Amino acid sequence: MLVDDAPGKPCPAARRNIGIVISTRVRLARNLAGRKFPTHPDGSDRLEILSDIKRVVGTLPGGDAFAWRNIDEESPLECRLLVERHLISRELAEGSGPRAVALNPERSLGMMINEEDHLRLQCLMPGLALHEAYARTDRLDNQLSERLEFAFDPFYGYLTSCPTNVGTGLRVSAMLHLPALAMTRHIEKVYRAIIEMRMAVRGFYGEGTEAYGELYQISNQATCGKNEADIIDDMDAAIAAIVRYEERARARLAASERRQLEDRIWRSWGALRHARLMNTEEAMRHLSSLRMGLAMGLFTDIRPSELDRLFLYSQPAHLQRLEGRELEPGDRDAARAALFRKSLGGEMN
Amino acid sequence: MYICQICKKSPATIHLTDIHNNVKKEVHICEACAKEKGFNIQTAANLPQLLGLAAKKGEGGKLPGTLPSALAAAVLPASKRRTEAKDTVCPVCGFTWKRFTEQTRLGCPCDYQQFGDQLRRLIASQLPPRASRNGPFHVGKTPARTDPAAAENIRTMRSLERRLRDAVTEQDYERAALLKSELDALAHEATGKVEDAG
Ligand SMILES: [Zn+2]
Ligand SMILES: [Zn+2]
């Protein structure tokens, strides 16, 4: 299995990071020359493309370490689990026909085959690590492009199924935790600033989703007219500016509304330890309070890695995985509340 | 700092470049007006919306410079907006421009050549502010198998071709002649060495 947390053991995906930048991700879109895109309705090239890419990856130095899964053969629950862990996109999970994911042993570097493009290389790193994430993705891209003929045009760049990815095919993004900006309603200003910087803002699960847990994903809009280094530097500068803004908002709150802040944190602690029903949105809001409390030194009753594990396991597929069965939404809310009570030392009944 | 061209009150935070009949026009609008015109600010480069707005051509065209007409001009060439009779079919994947606008995804890499002008306008409308509208659009890396010098040559030639066409349309024959000789020199230099990789 690609998600292989053993019950009772520390979750390998849970991080000790409580900083404002939760994770950074780099993605490169690539297609094979002269073949129909996977989005073409007749889909006749897909199987051949998948086996071509798989064969080539096997010949790369260290290429046999990648774990492959055919998404069309995985259960819907397993697919949702991979989406919740940001290892594959919703588009790949919900697509059709031959498609696959390949992941390195640490699950940080991977490839999606036959999503919207033939090949999407991606690297996901904890904290702020855009340059390192790009360097790793770029290395894999170079190795692959020695062995595969990529669809490339000197004028347009790397050719992609959707023209909004053409050029570098590079999308860089960061998941940011911005509770103070959300609480002080400065987040609207941040939205505007981000759009002015020609970047996009999204909620936790990507395109078109709401910002649960005061988590925001920002990414670059333009993939052409700029080179890779500039795209990354501009994103770095944008993230740094937002982080400073969040830090200032936290400092202001700590100075002028410390009691309200502490009240929010301890209410969340109480709810997590005692509630009987809790949906994902509420859970993520409370976990967000604790995360902010930890980062600001206002709260110390939970370990960062445990907090991160609870963020993951409060999501529907993770929760059902833990329970070992499919759950109706109402039962999920009860199971989620029970998980928190058990994990955080609240009363059991 | 610009003031919104629609309400003439709020500061403009959304900036678009509209190239129409070879006249470059900047469009500056505020968020509220953008929303009112149905332009989702959170996904400013969202393709279906760009195309959706382009499809509603003629409707929002009362005010000069309002968003739908500006975008329609950026997305569709003037001739196409009047008549969509001729639509090339890609020999590799069978896609037409119309089919692309319906599915918002292309059929194969060759479509970038097949739908040259239309796609060029669409992509130009998403370029970052400082990038050249004449191209080359790609200024990033080159695949390992492509010779970077050859790629650079093709890039320069395509930009020159584009500028040459503009000069001819604008009847600036002096500039056109200059561009033509520049282009010929490059083509001569490249003969035998370079095959168009597109
Ligand atoms: Zn306005
Ligand atoms: Zn085609």
Side-chain angles (χ1 to χ4, degrees):
Chain A
M1 273 187 235
L2 292 181
V3 174
D4 41 15
D5 318 344
K9 293 260 179 64
C11 168
R15 307 174 190 107
R16 276 172 289 276
N17 157 35
I18 48 166
I20 292 168
V21 185
I22 294 188
S23 60
T24 40
R25 184 217 301 270
V26 162
R27 190 216 68 196
L28 284 175
R30 298 289 184 257
N31 287 280
L32 304 188
R35 317 286 276 276
K36 287 171 203 158
F37 291 129
T39 45
H40 193 289
D42 88 6
S44 53
D45 283 356
R46 291 167 142 236
L47 200 57
E48 207 182 310
I49 281 158
L50 176 53
S51 63
D52 282 1
I53 293 174
K54 202 168 173 176
R55 185 172 38 77
V56 166
V57 171
T59 68
L60 299 181
D64 48 6
F66 283 97
W68 287 82
R69 286 298 174 277
N70 290 331
I71 296 300
D72 43 325
E73 292 162 9
E74 292 290 337
S75 73
L77 186 63
E78 185 71 13
C79 289
R80 284 203 300 273
L81 203 65
L82 294 171
V83 173
E84 287 179 1
R85 216 162 263 207
H86 296 110
L87 295 176
I88 65 170
S89 64
R90 270 198 308 192
E91 290 70 23
L92 191 75
E94 292 164 9
S96 62
R99 60 200 195 284
V101 63
L103 292 165
N104 71 345
E106 300 78 45
R107 311 292 184 245
S108 53
L109 186 66
M111 283 164 270
M112 291 192 285
I113 320 295
N114 286 336
E115 197 232 39
E116 187 178 292
D117 295 300
H118 294 142
L119 188 55
R120 287 206 163 174
L121 314 177
Q122 56 175 37
C123 183
L124 182 66
M125 310 257 315
L128 180 58
L130 279 178
H131 291 273
E132 194 188 337
Y134 178 69
R136 295 180 66 189
T137 320
D138 183 47
R139 211 175 306 132
L140 181 59
D141 177 48
N142 289 340
Q143 290 177 332
L144 287 167
S145 80
E146 284 166 12
R147 296 158 173 89
L148 290 165
E149 183 83 42
F150 285 150
F152 179 82
D153 175 282
F155 186 89
Y156 286 115
Y158 291 91
L159 305 177
T160 50
S161 165
C162 180
T164 56
N165 293 318
V166 78
T168 57
L170 173 63
R171 193 79 64 195
V172 293
S173 61
M175 188 70 78
L176 305 175
H177 184 222
L178 306 174
L181 290 174
M183 283 165 76
T184 55
R185 307 204 194 293
H186 281 65
I187 199 74
E188 292 295 323
K189 272 191 228 165
V190 174
Y191 264 75
R192 243 170 288 150
I194 291 171
I195 288 150
E196 250 181 282
M197 289 185 278
R198 291 268 177 150
M199 306 208 176
V201 205
R202 302 189 178 107
F204 187 54
Y205 291 119
E207 212 146 352
T209 58
E210 272 177 72
Y212 280 2
E214 296 156 327
L215 299 174
Y216 298 83
Q217 190 193 314
I218 78 163
S219 58
N220 61 309
Q221 287 275 17
T223 53
C224 62
K226 244 190 205 185
N227 67 24
E228 291 86 358
D230 288 346
I231 290 173
I232 288 163
D233 287 346
D234 289 354
M235 177 58 82
D236 236 7
I239 293 169
I242 298 166
V243 166
R244 275 197 305 274
Y245 209 24
E246 169 70 18
E247 280 168 348
R248 277 208 297 271
R250 288 185 187 187
R252 264 200 311 271
L253 279 177
S256 64
E257 285 171 65
R258 193 183 180 96
R259 262 196 304 206
Q260 287 89 329
L261 209 54
E262 286 178 336
D263 184 63
R264 177 183 158 175
I265 295 163
W266 288 100
R267 270 173 195 276
S268 289
W269 180 240
L272 288 167
R273 278 166 46 110
H274 297 287
R276 262 43 186 177
L277 290 172
M278 196 174 286
N279 63 28
T280 308
E281 188 184 355
E282 189 190 351
M284 291 188 56
R285 184 156 39 84
H286 293 318
L287 293 169
S288 169
S289 309
L290 301 191
R291 197 172 189 279
M292 175 181 65
L294 276 180
M296 293 176 72
L298 297 171
F299 181 80
T300 53
D301 287 14
I302 187 169
R303 273 176 294 118
S305 58
E306 173 68 356
L307 182 68
D308 207 36
R309 187 183 73 93
L310 293 177
F311 257 111
L312 274 174
Y313 277 89
S314 58
Q315 297 169 67
H318 274 79
L319 192 67
Q320 293 175 78
R321 169 68 173 275
L322 199 65
E323 293 284 312
R325 64 196 170 98
E326 294 249 353
L327 296 168
E328 295 296 313
D331 295 336
R332 271 182 231 162
D333 293 351
R336 190 177 291 113
L339 166 70
F340 293 141
R341 288 202 306 278
K342 195 171 145 203
S343 307
L344 302 176
E347 46 180 324
M348 275 310 290
N349 37 65
Chain B
M1 164 97 156
Y2 292 95
I3 294 297
C4 171
Q5 293 173 349
I6 298 177
C7 64
K8 310 244 186 324
K9 281 188 299 223
S10 311
T13 53
I14 293 163
H15 313 282
L16 296 151
T17 307
D18 173 7
I19 302 165
H20 188 45
N21 294 332
N22 298 303
V23 181
K24 187 174 155 186
K25 196 165 64 184
E26 304 273 3
V27 181
H28 308 279
I29 53 171
C30 74
E31 226 177 295
C33 291
K35 266 191 191 146
E36 207 204 290
K37 298 283 168 194
F39 187 67
N40 185 345
I41 50 151
Q42 277 189 48
T43 50
N46 182 303
L47 185 63
Q49 272 171 7
L50 283 175
L51 292 167
L53 283 169
K56 279 190 277 169
K57 62 206 172 248
E59 280 175 28
K62 279 162 260 157
L63 280 167
T66 57
L67 198 58
S69 67
L71 272 172
V75 173
L76 297 169
S79 59
K80 292 276 172 190
R81 270 179 291 144
R82 274 188 293 276
T83 159
E84 291 178 41
K86 294 184 294 191
D87 199 354
T88 34
V89 182
C90 172
V92 177
C93 70
F95 263 45
T96 58
W97 177 256
K98 186 163 175 290
R99 185 144 178 216
F100 162 65
T101 60
E102 285 157 9
Q103 302 200 351
T104 69
R105 295 295 180 275
L106 293 159
C108 81
C110 307
D111 297 359
Y112 283 88
Q113 292 303 311
Q114 294 299 323
F115 310 138
D117 275 345
Q118 289 123 308
L119 260 185
R120 203 193 304 264
R121 276 163 198 271
L122 180 68
I123 296 164
S125 71
Q126 309 161 29
L127 286 174
R130 272 166 301 157
S132 158
R133 263 60 194 160
N134 284 323
F137 292 167
H138 182 56
V139 291
K141 73 186 276 193
T142 302
R145 287 182 165 193
T146 307
D147 173 14
E152 189 51 49
N153 231 324
I154 293 169
R155 266 199 274 274
T156 315
M157 282 171 71
R158 293 246 205 104
S159 301
L160 283 172
E161 278 164 15
R162 174 104 194 115
R163 285 164 61 200
L164 174 60
R165 254 194 293 168
D166 282 354
V168 171
T169 323
E170 287 161 29
Q171 303 186 334
D172 185 345
Y173 298 115
E174 210 172 315
R175 186 155 56 95
L178 224 61
L179 288 164
K180 182 79 173 65
S181 63
E182 224 180 304
L183 196 57
D184 287 345
L186 256 177
H188 184 71
E189 200 183 296
T191 312
K193 285 193 303 190
V194 178
E195 283 291 320
D196 191 317

